[in-house]
């Protein structure tokens, strides 16, 4: 049975009651990766909620425990750091409402396999997300649609406690990328990408791996760095050129699709969203509406 066929409703964990804090299977990894201790969890959530009200620097779409916990897990369970991340998240949403407000999430199936995931989550790698930039036709899909797809994949994925804890890696495949594509990356778009990569999103970003890239793309990357000089973020970006052996030193081939010499079957965004539509329920719709997305 392939990965997507084995993906059950329980695995997706859309129902609010499935977003539990006390998961024995996660506690060890939550402690190692997120410095999370069950005895201190409620206290940290309460402290983060107090910071939101006391400082008044943002108006989150939600302030329930499950929502706030994802920010704590992304920042080593330190409320002050989680609060700074939450402020950036809210600012990003306020500044880019076109990327999420009333977006028809199922309509993004039109992106096909431009964005893929590998549903094999290992503690040392987490979830692997692949963006095949060279397959993108700017005449058919805008850069905004591409960003909407990436953002949606993250928002839905982060509903799962497992992914809050394990985080993930991003693989950018630049095979087929041309100057026509690169011209779409304005400074404003560059900042949006930086925020989605982890600067303003509650993910445990393990690494960003760029393969099949040219010198032109590397030059563009260095331009990005000047826009947001966040040392911790850029330290996680790795250029591998056409050398997959370089990639294998950081990501075990066991976790990669067969296309890259691995053992896994990738799941396209179109497949992923179609599967979600089949199993989603009222709780999932409410979660998406709380974030501003359209839900039928």
């Amino acid at each position: 049975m392939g990965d997507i066929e084995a993906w059950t409703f329980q695995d997706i964990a859309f129902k609010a009651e499935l977003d539990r804090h006390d998961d024995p299977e996660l506690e060890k990894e939550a402690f190692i990766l997120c410095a999370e201790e069950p005895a201190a969890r409620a206290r940290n959530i309460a402290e983060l909620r107090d910071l939101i009200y006391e400082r008044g620097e943002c108006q989150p779409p939600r302030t329930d425990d499950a929502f706030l916990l994802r920010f704590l897990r992304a920042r080593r369970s330190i409320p002050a750091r989680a609060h700074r991340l939450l402020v950036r998240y809210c600012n990003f949403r306020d500044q880019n409402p076109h990327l999420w407000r009333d977006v028809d999430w199922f309509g993004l199936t039109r992106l096909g396999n431009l964005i893929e995931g590998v549903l094999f989550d290992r503690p040392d790698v987490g979830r692997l997300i692949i963006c095949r930039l060279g397959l993108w036709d700017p005449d058919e899909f805008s850069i905004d649609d591409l960003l909407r797809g990436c953002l949606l994949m993250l928002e839905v994925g982060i509903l799962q406690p497992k992914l809050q804890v394990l985080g993930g890696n991003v693989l950018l495949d630049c095979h087929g990328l041309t100057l026509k594509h690169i011209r779409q990356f304005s400074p404003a778009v560059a900042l949006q990408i930086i925020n989605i990569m982890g600067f303003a999103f509650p993910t445990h970003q393990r690494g960003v791996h760029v393969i099949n890239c040219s010198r032109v793309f590397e030059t563009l990357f260095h331009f990005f760095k000047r826009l947001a000089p966040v040392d911790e973020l850029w330290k996680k970006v790795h250029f591998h050129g056409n050398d997959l052996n370089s990639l294998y030193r950081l990501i075990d081939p066991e976790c990669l699709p067969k296309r890259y010499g691995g053992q896994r079957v990738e799941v396209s965004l179109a497949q992923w969203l179609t599967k979600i539509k089949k199993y989603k329920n009222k709780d999932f719709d409410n979660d998406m509406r709380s974030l501003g997305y359209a839900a039928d």
Side-chain angles (χ1 to χ4, degrees):
M1 181 178 290
D3 286 333
I4 194 163
E5 287 79 14
W7 206 17
T8 66
F9 178 79
Q10 287 74 20
D11 290 329
I12 299 172
F14 286 150
K15 296 181 70 176
E17 62 265 32
L18 290 178
D19 194 354
R20 299 194 184 280
H21 311 320
D22 298 315
D23 186 335
E25 295 182 4
L26 287 176
E27 285 192 359
K28 179 181 178 181
E29 299 302 337
F31 177 75
I32 295 171
L33 298 173
C34 308
E36 181 178 303
E37 298 183 51
R41 188 185 298 122
R43 183 175 68 248
N44 289 335
I45 292 172
E47 185 176 339
L48 174 55
R49 188 179 291 114
D50 288 343
L51 286 172
I52 294 169
Y53 296 138
E54 290 170 5
R55 298 185 179 181
E57 296 177 39
C58 62
Q59 293 184 323
R62 294 163 48 186
T63 57
D64 56 278
D65 288 4
F67 182 76
L68 297 183
L69 184 58
R70 66 191 65 173
F71 290 88
L72 285 162
R73 285 173 165 166
R75 288 299 180 267
R76 299 285 296 172
S77 300
I78 301 173
R81 292 186 63 202
H83 180 259
R84 288 196 295 272
L85 176 61
L86 180 59
V87 170
R88 289 198 296 269
Y89 173 83
C90 292
N91 288 341
F92 174 73
R93 284 170 53 85
D94 291 343
Q95 294 161 9
N96 300 279
H98 62 290
L99 295 181
W100 56 270
R101 183 174 292 159
D102 296 325
V103 167
D104 175 13
W105 60 270
F106 188 70
L108 291 172
T109 54
R110 63 184 179 274
L111 293 176
N113 60 349
L114 288 177
I115 304 171
E116 299 174 336
V118 177
L119 306 181
F120 180 71
D121 307 318
R122 240 173 50 171
D124 59 330
V125 174
R127 175 67 52 87
L128 179 64
I129 303 297
I130 304 165
C131 187
R132 302 172 68 189
L133 292 173
L135 297 182
W136 168 42
D137 183 352
D139 294 330
E140 187 175 0
F141 306 118
S142 70
I143 185 69
D144 285 344
D145 277 341
L146 197 58
L147 295 177
R148 288 182 185 113
C150 292
L151 188 59
L152 177 68
M153 202 168 197
L154 290 172
E155 288 284 17
V156 175
I158 206 67
L159 293 175
Q160 295 179 262
K162 179 171 67 172
L163 296 189
Q164 295 170 19
V165 171
L166 298 184
N169 279 270
V170 175
L171 180 64
L172 296 179
D173 187 345
C174 297
H175 178 72
L177 198 70
T178 67
L179 286 175
K180 182 178 181 180
H181 297 99
I182 291 175
R183 290 192 190 102
Q184 311 300 314
F185 293 94
S186 66
V189 169
L191 281 172
Q192 290 167 350
I193 294 171
I194 291 166
N195 280 298
I196 292 172
M197 280 172 55
F199 182 63
F201 197 84
T203 54
H204 180 197
Q205 181 60 265
R206 312 289 290 270
V208 178
H209 303 270
V210 187
I211 63 172
N212 300 322
C213 59
S214 67
R215 292 290 184 184
V216 174
F217 192 87
E218 287 197 44
T219 300
L220 182 68
F221 164 77
H222 290 296
F223 170 70
F224 282 13
K225 286 183 68 174
R226 293 201 298 272
L227 292 175
V230 187
D231 288 344
E232 289 305 312
L233 177 62
W234 299 124
K235 286 177 183 176
K236 298 175 182 178
V237 180
H238 308 278
F239 284 87
H240 303 284
N242 297 307
D243 182 8
L244 289 181
N245 287 321
S246 172
L247 177 65
Y248 298 159
R249 285 193 284 272
L250 296 175
I251 297 183
D252 191 325
E254 183 187 17
C255 304
L256 294 168
K258 296 175 183 178
R259 181 191 310 120
Y260 305 114
Q263 303 176 22
R264 300 295 152 189
V265 176
E266 66 279 0
V267 178
S268 72
L269 180 65
Q271 290 174 295
W272 192 66
L273 292 178
T274 300
K275 194 73 171 179
I276 288 172
K277 188 171 186 179
K278 180 178 179 181
Y279 288 107
K280 76 182 186 71
N281 64 3
K282 182 179 179 180
D283 292 315
F284 172 76
D285 286 346
N286 288 339
D287 275 334
M288 298 306 290
R289 286 194 188 99
S290 76
L291 297 173
Y293 284 91
D296 55 21

